[in-house]
Amino acid sequence: MIYLHHNTFPTMKVSRLVLLTTLFCYTLTLSGRDIRVSTSAHRKAFVIASPATQADIVVAENDAEVVSTAARCLSSDVKAITGQALDIHITAIAGAAALYGRQPIIAGTLGQSVLIDSLAAAGKIDAEAVRGRWEVYGLQMVKKPFEGTDRALVIYGSTPRGTAYGLLELSLQMGVSPYIWWADVGPARHNALYIQGEKTISEAPAVRYRGIFINDEDWGLMPWAAKTLDKVYGNIGANTYAKVMELLLRLRANTLWPAMHPCSQAFWDNKDNMSVARKYDIMLGSSHCEQMLRDNEWEWRRAPWNGTNESWNYANNAPVIRRYWEERVAESKGYDAMYTLGMRGVHDWGISGYPTTDDKVRGLTEIIGFQRSLLRKYIGDPTQIPQLFIPYKEVLDAYNAGLHVPEDVTLCWVDDNHGYIRQLPLPSEQARPGGNGIYYHLSYWGSPHDYLWLCSHSPSLISYELSRAYAQGIQTLWIINVGDIKPAEAELEFCMDLAWDADAWAPENAWRYMRYWASKTFGEAVADEIAAIKREYYRLAAGGKPEHVFAISYSDAERERRISAYASLAAAVETLRSAIPPRLQDAYYQLIEYPVKGAYCMNVKEFRATQSLALASQGQREQALAYAREAHRAYEEIQALTARYNTDIAHGKWNGMMSAAPRGLKQFRMPQVATDSMISSPSADVPEEPRTVVVPASDYTAAHGHFTVMEGLGISDRGVTIWPLDMTRYTTGDAPSLEYEIPVRQGENTLSVRCLPTFPVNTTYDLRVALSVDNGPSQVISLKTEATKGKWNRNVLQGFNEAAITYHAEKDKKVRVRVGVMDPGVVVCEIQGISRRR
């Protein structure tokens, strides 16, 4: 294969000057007056902690529990940096703040804290800047807030979670990673911490509800929790959920769909979990097959219900199912919860009892009506209670056939499980008072193949998909399927940062995120190198995830290029390790070294095994056996890497968390390789591969229209698309287009455009491209696919969808290929020409 242009790993360093400008854009726009943390003292600095003194944290007794929870996190973070924890005082009297030092940190919620309400009434804080807004916070230096207090840093929120985010904003500015516990990202030590500035008011989050779904936890989180944090339960329990919810607060998330596989005890079944939810003020929800906060796999199948798949049938067992739902709704009163409406199978399969789509419309109408009656009976006006309807599979068919979902209910759309959103809401759906949400995967168990081992969605892909969702009205709920959380730490952090500020990491800028993340996680000195490593890791995975390379048809040339690129990447990781501070070595292994080296070894294992068999059939004994040995070494290295993850790092803290073979699938085992007995007689007739020429999408010779190059997106690492989305439906005559020059040979040539395997924006659009050669007639080809069917199965593994035409050349020459983009959402990744030797 010939690549006419290709960015290799060593050239991928990014500009320190350019990227430093984005360093703090995700949180606040800082000016000279904004509150910021410093390690340097000056005359007017407010002391958080120093060898001579420290600030106390004061919260009101009548405030929500999450405020004192976040205060304890901040105190612990200060101790991690300075060695000194801050004392926390809970008071019922506003003036009592004066008893806790002349310069305290006062934290509370407007309308719920006597401290904050007293300061607001006295005009000492900018209360109107946050009042009535969603999860907004203010940080403000206040002189003489109370009698006997010289000044205070006052942190005030519009909601309790807003206050918590304000407290943890200080932690972020101090250099504390959200993954201080979950990935052992230890902060740098300093003797003192100070506050400078006068006032900061945060923006409201872009997405109202932001959170995660713990899923497919059978080989990681559940067995790990059962033998570590939650031995007393022998399962995922209150201690693990406390760590999960603390992470959510640190990520400025607010929603959790708890683990629900058959191996995991239902969240609501363990009553110790409920105080944890209140302590961290996390909204509880549930997936598309867990209506009304019920975990069917655990609860329906056990006493007192003792249900089965067959009895989970509303058409003939409605009285029992109604009692089952009613019990949970009654129990959930007083908790922050979002209720999933409708019905599917006990787990992720179709609804029973309603054979036709019309039957499903009738049945679901009745079911939703009853579910909302429960909300009215136990909680209040259902139009004011967060509810969710997930149009998925057969339920989507019913919805499209006319099922009425009340306007106050949030419609939650879904991706195809591989990171490409199936369908976005129509304008009429965008206007619904209940708004729209998205359920998006960073980890997945299912067809065509799982990816439960490593996380390799790039920020550029995530941003492209979620940003166009946001632009099409999906702004109420973002739920990210994170599997076991590990090893999706960086990608989840990106999702939550994007959900907080959708403009900061728009698709054209998302590639910069990894440098920002590397700087704040591992330090400025190694940020360029880590950003380059992550970008190359994502580029290689875009053309085949480590879990999927066994199922993708690569040429030998492609295999060699991938192995070479991974070898360079692994060498860079190895070289950089010595520059990582000792406090961050465990984090480096979890977040960088294990995924890169694991992916490298998986590619080597699969490719060398395949090549060894091919060479054995050709009689090439020495090379066949050498490749077989190389495949064996790669397999053994994966086992060694995983053993180190589980037993060596963080003093064995993560023992049992990482599996080298989730679900025990064949692709994780040692594949068949050549042996001496397989060697055939030497053959001189080795078929020659056709000549393949690839032109990256960004190497166009002309562009007609407002195209944007999306760095880090797609198999070429630089996808080209029209952004923002142009919702016009074009004809061949007026479609925006890109032109490419590509060599052809005399005879038949196949010319193709490879595009990101996306879906039409919504049900009213196609996904068409128009291909022409040397101003000849255009051939219009639809890239539209249906998830889980046909061509889609290949597309999501190989990372592209393809439109191809045949071109007959009278002689060897170069031709001009024009690609017309006729519908929104087409992302061009590369142009390919294939010709066989005459």
Side-chain angles (χ1 to χ4, degrees):
M1 185 181 290
I2 301 170
Y3 274 76
L4 298 188
H5 173 74
H6 183 64
N7 287 329
T8 56
F9 169 67
T11 66
M12 283 190 171
K13 282 204 172 185
V14 285
S15 167
R16 212 178 281 264
L17 179 62
V18 171
L19 293 179
L20 278 175
T21 62
T22 67
L23 186 57
F24 289 107
C25 71
Y26 86 106
T27 304
L28 304 163
T29 302
L30 297 178
S31 69
R33 295 170 57 85
D34 282 303
I35 295 292
R36 57 199 180 277
V37 175
S38 172
T39 57
S40 301
H42 69 86
R43 187 170 56 86
K44 296 183 178 181
F46 177 92
V47 180
I48 298 176
S50 74
T53 187
Q54 65 187 55
D56 289 351
I57 304 175
V58 186
V59 300
E61 185 178 64
N62 68 325
D63 211 337
E65 188 176 359
V66 70
V67 176
S68 57
T69 298
R72 284 190 290 273
C73 290
L74 175 60
S75 173
S76 175
D77 295 342
V78 172
K79 183 177 181 180
I81 294 170
T82 68
Q84 302 179 68
L86 305 186
D87 290 336
I88 300 170
H89 304 278
I90 299 175
T91 180
I93 306 170
L99 300 176
Y100 306 119
R102 304 191 69 84
Q103 296 195 43
I105 298 171
I106 300 171
T109 308
L110 198 64
Q112 296 192 42
S113 164
V114 294
L115 298 169
I116 299 304
D117 289 348
S118 175
L119 293 173
K124 294 187 176 182
I125 58 172
D126 191 359
E128 296 310 309
V130 305
R131 192 186 305 276
R133 301 174 67 195
W134 181 253
E135 297 183 343
V136 170
Y137 58 86
L139 311 175
Q140 188 170 341
M141 294 302 307
V142 177
K143 294 179 180 179
K144 298 190 179 300
F146 299 109
E147 186 69 29
T149 302
D150 293 340
R151 62 174 175 167
L153 172 62
V154 181
I155 301 173
Y156 49 101
S158 61
T159 65
R161 279 193 295 263
T163 307
Y165 298 148
L167 283 159
L168 293 172
E169 172 64 28
L170 289 186
S171 292
L172 288 171
Q173 290 198 29
M174 290 186 312
V176 177
S177 166
Y179 290 101
I180 184 173
W181 189 86
W182 273 97
D184 305 294
V185 183
R189 295 298 297 264
H190 296 283
N191 289 328
L193 294 167
Y194 305 94
I195 292 290
Q196 298 178 12
E198 298 176 22
K199 182 178 72 174
T200 294
I201 304 295
S202 77
E203 295 296 328
V207 178
R208 188 173 183 86
Y209 299 111
R210 313 163 303 281
I212 65 172
F213 179 24
I214 295 174
N215 197 212
D216 307 320
E217 65 278 6
D218 314 47
W219 300 272
L221 187 63
M222 196 290 289
W224 172 83
K227 66 180 184 181
T228 55
L229 292 183
D230 285 315
K231 286 182 180 179
V232 65
Y233 308 113
N235 211 299
I236 301 174
N239 298 310
T240 300
Y241 277 120
K243 291 297 186 184
V244 170
M245 292 183 185
E246 179 183 324
L247 174 64
L248 294 178
L249 282 185
R250 289 181 179 277
L251 292 170
R252 295 174 301 179
N254 58 17
T255 304
L256 173 66
W257 292 0
M260 48 71 73
H261 265 218
C263 64
S264 296
Q265 183 181 10
F267 183 90
W268 290 82
D269 187 60
N270 183 342
K271 303 311 175 188
D272 291 346
N273 291 335
M274 307 321 300
S275 61
V276 176
R278 200 180 299 281
K279 177 180 177 181
Y280 289 92
D281 194 19
I282 296 298
M283 169 170 274
L284 299 171
S286 56
S287 72
H288 58 90
C289 50
E290 303 173 275
Q291 284 70 38
M292 309 308 285
L293 301 175
R294 276 295 194 181
D295 180 339
N296 299 327
E297 282 286 9
W298 185 273
E299 296 181 295
W300 178 246
R301 298 189 190 283
R302 286 173 166 78
W305 309 102
N306 298 315
T308 64
N309 293 344
E310 291 71 29
S311 63
W312 185 248
N313 185 320
Y314 194 87
N316 59 29
N317 196 25
V320 175
I321 294 172
R322 286 176 175 178
R323 291 198 302 274
Y324 175 72
W325 283 334
E326 185 168 7
E327 181 182 87
R328 177 53 38 77
V329 173
E331 182 183 13
S332 69
K333 183 177 181 180
Y335 290 93
D336 197 4
M338 177 177 285
Y339 300 84
T340 299
L341 305 181
M343 191 173 186
R344 295 201 72 231
V346 171
H347 199 78
D348 190 4
W349 52 77
I351 186 172
S352 299
Y354 303 99
T356 69
T357 297
D358 286 345
D359 292 333
K360 291 179 177 63
V361 171
R362 175 180 52 81
L364 287 168
T365 299
E366 179 184 353
I367 288 166
I368 291 171
F370 173 73
Q371 290 167 337
R372 284 168 65 84
S373 75
L374 292 178
L375 297 178
R376 184 179 296 279
K377 178 179 179 180
Y378 288 99
I379 299 176
D381 180 359
T383 66
Q384 303 302 309
I385 298 168
Q387 296 153 77
L388 194 64
F389 179 78
I390 307 175
Y392 182 58
K393 294 187 177 178
E394 80 285 348
V395 176
L396 176 59
D397 295 336
Y399 175 75
N400 288 334
L403 171 66
H404 174 69
V405 179
E407 290 291 303
D408 57 273
V409 175
T410 300
L411 294 178
C412 184
W413 306 92
V414 297
D415 70 346
D416 65 348
N417 309 314
H418 290 263
Y420 306 99
I421 299 174
R422 302 177 190 225
Q423 179 179 323
L424 298 174
L426 297 165
S428 59
E429 292 163 332
Q430 295 175 34
R432 293 169 56 89
N436 291 268
I438 186 66
Y439 168 42
Y440 189 84
H441 288 76
L442 296 179
S443 174
Y444 179 62
W445 169 355
S447 65
H449 295 292
D450 306 357
Y451 56 102
L452 299 172
W453 181 38
L454 305 176
C455 186
S456 53
H457 282 13
S458 73
S460 294
L461 172 61
I462 295 167
S463 179
Y464 179 72
E465 287 296 297
L466 294 183
S467 293
R468 69 191 191 115
Y470 186 85
Q472 295 296 301
I474 295 183
Q475 302 176 7
T476 300
L477 171 74
W478 286 9
I479 291 291
I480 311 299
N481 185 321
V482 292
D484 300 305
I485 298 176
K486 303 178 73 65
E489 296 99 333
E491 295 78 12
L492 170 60
E493 189 170 357
F494 175 75
C495 290
M496 293 301 100
D497 283 350
L498 185 67
W500 186 269
D501 186 346
D503 295 327
W505 303 111
E508 60 270 33
N509 294 319
W511 67 280
R512 302 171 189 256
Y513 181 84
M514 271 301 127
R515 194 203 181 280
Y516 153 74
W517 176 86
S519 178
K520 75 187 186 76
T521 304
F522 292 103
E524 182 63 22
V526 294
D528 284 338
E529 290 79 2
I530 288 178
I533 287 167
K534 290 292 285 185
R535 181 164 179 179
E536 179 72 344
Y537 171 76
Y538 292 132
R539 181 188 74 82
L540 289 164
K545 291 183 176 296
E547 299 92 336
H548 296 162
V549 291
F550 80 101
I552 301 172
S553 296
Y554 296 103
S555 68
D556 269 345
E558 288 173 316
R559 293 186 182 108
E560 293 303 323
R561 267 194 305 276
R562 287 179 67 85
I563 288 175
S564 176
Y566 268 121
S568 296
L569 196 56
V573 168
E574 190 71 21
T575 299
L576 187 60
R577 191 198 304 133
S578 62
I580 303 299
R583 63 184 169 84
L584 294 171
Q585 285 287 330
D586 289 340
Y588 185 74
Y589 189 82
Q590 294 168 66
L591 300 173
I592 305 297
E593 187 169 351
Y594 182 82
V596 167
K597 289 186 175 180
Y600 171 36
C601 291
M602 183 63 81
N603 277 255
V604 172
K605 183 195 77 170
E606 293 297 330
F607 294 165
R608 292 310 191 215
T610 299
Q611 291 170 315
S612 76
L613 296 173
L615 291 172
S617 70
Q618 298 163 15
Q620 299 185 42
R621 180 180 181 279
E622 294 303 321
Q623 192 61 62
L625 296 180
Y627 279 171
R629 290 191 295 271
E630 198 172 340
H632 271 291
R633 287 195 298 270
Y635 172 78
E636 294 300 333
E637 181 63 12
I638 291 172
Q639 312 317 305
L641 288 165
T642 306
R644 183 184 172 199
Y645 194 115
N646 285 324
T647 60
D648 291 355
I649 63 169
H651 306 290
K653 172 181 175 180
W654 301 112
N655 194 9
M657 178 63 82
M658 183 56 64
S659 171
R663 289 218 293 145
L665 295 175
K666 180 180 179 181
Q667 56 264 38
F668 295 109
R669 303 173 199 159
M670 181 62 210
Q672 184 184 24
V673 295
T675 63
D676 255 328
S677 63
M678 296 179 180
I679 306 299
S680 301
S681 300
S683 171
D685 184 21
V686 178
E688 183 180 355
E689 291 185 346
R691 185 185 75 166
T692 301
V693 177
V694 174
V695 181
S698 56
D699 285 7
Y700 50 81
T701 58
H704 309 280
H706 299 289
F707 287 93
T708 299
V709 176
M710 298 291 192
E711 300 282 348
L713 183 61
I715 56 173
S716 69
D717 197 47
R718 301 183 80 216
V720 180
T721 190
I722 295 177
W723 185 262
L725 290 176
D726 178 355
M727 304 302 287
T728 307
R729 296 176 182 83
Y730 288 100
T731 66
T732 56
D734 61 3
S737 62
L738 299 163
E739 293 183 12
Y740 299 89
E741 192 174 77
I742 192 165
V744 296
R745 283 178 170 174
Q746 182 181 10
E748 296 296 318
N749 295 265
T750 301
L751 303 175
S752 61
V753 56
R754 292 178 166 181
C755 300
L756 208 64
T758 55
F759 293 84
V761 171
N762 60 45
T763 54
T764 69
Y765 284 92
D766 201 334
L767 196 66
R768 300 165 299 155
V769 293
L771 302 183
S772 65
V773 180
D774 287 343
N775 292 323
S778 294
Q779 295 186 44
V780 177
I781 302 171
S782 174
L783 296 169
K784 184 177 180 179
T785 60
E786 185 175 350
T788 75
K789 295 182 180 179
K791 186 180 179 183
W792 171 88
N793 291 280
R794 182 177 72 251
N795 292 349
V796 294
L797 297 181
Q798 66 191 11
F800 63 87
N801 194 353
E802 190 171 40
I805 60 174
T806 300
Y807 176 76
H808 183 85
E810 298 297 330
K811 61 180 180 179
D812 291 2
K813 62 177 181 177
K814 290 184 177 180
V815 296
R816 188 171 72 255
V817 177
R818 175 177 287 204
V819 181
V821 175
M822 301 178 68
D823 294 297
V826 174
V827 180
V828 180
C829 295
E830 64 184 29
I831 309 299
Q832 185 184 79
I834 300 177
S835 56
R836 296 188 180 275
R837 185 176 297 279
R838 298 185 299 276

